[in-house]
Each structure stands twice: as C-alpha cells, then as structure tokens.
C-alpha cells in the first residue's frame, strides 16, 4: 500500500493539484506500488487533457520503460 504522502505527491506531479477528497486518497493508497499509481494518473482524462494525448502517450512509454 502507498502512503498518503505518495498519493499527494503523485497528484501534484501529474495533475498539478491536491486530491479531490480523502476517499480519492484512500482509493489510490490501495495501488500496489508507485508505478500503478503513476499509470492510473497518466491514463486519466484529466492528465490527457492537461498535456495532450501525444505527450501523455510519450510519458506512459517512458514510465513503462523506466520501471
């Protein structure tokens, strides 16, 4: 399980904001590892809209390669 700190950091890094609720934090804390959290965040519609689909796909490949 991930810590609340890890979830908050992921939101800040990839979505540029705090998690919307304690329920969202709790749900993401159940991810098996940081890679799973990052994958979930960068596949979100919010992230795709924020950076564009091409950049999101590039980052997804980079993260998959690096882990």
């Amino acid at each position: 399980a991930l810590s609340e700190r890890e979830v908050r950091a992921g939101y800040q890094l990839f979505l540029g904001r705090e998690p919307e609720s304690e329920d969202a934090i709790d749900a993401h804390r159940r991810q098996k590892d940081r890679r799973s959290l990052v994958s979930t965040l960068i596949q979100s519609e919010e992230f795709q809209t924020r950076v564009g689909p091409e950049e999101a796909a590039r980052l997804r490949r980079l993260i998959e390669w690096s882990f």
Side-chain angles (χ1 to χ4, degrees):
L2 299 174
S3 70
E4 179 178 338
R5 183 177 177 186
E6 289 172 307
V7 172
R8 287 184 182 278
Y11 264 75
Q12 284 295 334
L13 287 167
F14 294 97
L15 302 180
R17 66 175 178 84
E18 286 292 315
E20 60 274 12
S21 67
E22 291 298 318
D23 287 341
I25 293 170
D26 290 342
H28 287 297
R29 287 191 67 206
R30 290 191 281 273
Q31 299 278 351
K32 66 180 182 173
D33 54 27
R34 284 187 206 167
R35 180 182 182 174
S36 296
L37 173 64
V38 169
S39 180
T40 298
L41 293 174
I42 66 173
Q43 290 181 52
S44 71
E45 184 176 329
E46 180 178 353
F47 184 79
Q48 304 273 330
T49 300
R50 187 169 185 238
V51 302
E54 290 177 11
E55 182 66 6
R58 188 188 73 77
L59 286 171
R60 188 169 42 254
R61 288 190 305 273
L62 176 65
I63 289 165
E64 288 171 0
W65 177 81
S66 66
F67 280 95

